[in-house]
Amino acid sequence: ITVDIGYKSEGQIPKEEFLNTGSSDDLKTGQSIEVFVEKLEDREGNVKVSHEKAIKMKSWEKLQKLFDNKERVKGFIVGKAKAGLYVKIMGTNAFLPLSQVDVRPVRDVSHLIKTEETFEILKMDYSKGNIVVSRKAILEEKQKEIKNQIVEKSQNNSVVIGKVKTFTYYGAFVDLGGIDGLVHLSDISWSRIG
């Protein structure tokens, strides 16, 4: 793509950059686009510009504001790494460690790939191009809300409905719609059970 930046020569941008940023579909001749000037003259006398870097710089600024204000961001999980998942947020790459995927350890994360999720930004380092996000923090917050609602509704000596998740030698764990409860073995039956 040839771009006029008002300099003595035009800038050249590889088409792949527009595919990477998702702005290739609506690209037209004469359209104004944002570019980052990397070099005014290379060895051949061409201006080196990048559309992808311009988008990335803008999104870094927005993400930094969100990070400073401790706001949530939406992102798209694009792939799997050895220690986590790759996430695309506002055209910028971020990393979701396996420890931050869910409240409980997850063995298979393939069901999350190609899904949009809400994240909390844990760490940002512009010099290294490093953003670390957490899905776990969002889920923990939701769990707290659910727990508070259940606790508010059910006071002592109230009857609630739950679904038995697992049995142990000392009782049964019951899902109460977002939080787990324990029914002790002595409280399951009047008669002795094995």
Side-chain angles (χ1 to χ4, degrees), residues 35-178:
V35 294
F36 175 75
V37 180
E38 294 181 275
K39 221 175 199 180
L40 280 176
E41 256 182 72
D42 62 8
R43 289 181 184 174
E44 288 84 42
N46 297 322
V47 178
K48 194 172 180 192
V49 291
S50 173
H51 175 65
E52 198 172 3
K53 282 187 181 174
I55 299 278
K56 199 173 183 179
M57 279 182 74
K58 254 192 146 175
S59 56
W60 265 92
E61 288 169 14
K62 287 178 188 173
L63 288 170
Q64 188 65 53
K65 282 180 187 171
L66 293 170
F67 175 63
D68 294 340
N69 297 329
K70 294 182 178 9
E71 290 182 49
R72 298 170 174 173
V73 291
K74 281 205 180 282
F76 193 75
I77 299 173
V78 290
K80 190 177 175 183
K82 191 175 182 181
L85 296 165
Y86 294 115
V87 182
K88 206 59 139 172
I89 302 171
M90 294 182 200
T92 306
N93 294 324
F95 181 68
L96 173 63
L98 284 175
S99 63
Q100 296 297 321
V101 171
D102 209 324
V103 184
R104 293 184 179 98
V106 181
R107 287 191 181 140
D108 184 26
V109 290
S110 56
H111 67 283
L112 291 170
I113 296 170
K114 294 185 180 174
T115 60
E116 189 179 51
E117 297 284 334
T118 305
F119 301 99
E120 184 178 297
I121 303 169
L122 298 179
K123 193 168 76 174
M124 282 185 77
D125 187 347
Y126 185 76
S127 61
K128 293 179 182 173
N130 188 8
I131 301 173
V132 179
V133 294
S134 173
R135 180 176 173 258
K136 180 181 176 180
I138 306 297
L139 296 174
E140 282 175 338
E141 214 171 281
K142 282 181 186 174
Q143 249 184 351
K144 267 186 194 171
E145 287 174 25
I146 292 167
K147 184 179 179 180
N148 290 340
Q149 287 172 0
I150 291 169
V151 171
E152 269 180 40
K153 285 180 190 172
S154 55
Q155 299 302 318
N156 285 344
N157 300 323
S158 63
V159 178
V160 292
I161 295 172
K163 187 176 183 179
V164 176
K165 288 173 74 174
T166 55
F167 285 103
T168 63
Y169 67 92
Y170 52 84
F173 282 98
V174 181
D175 182 5
L176 300 173

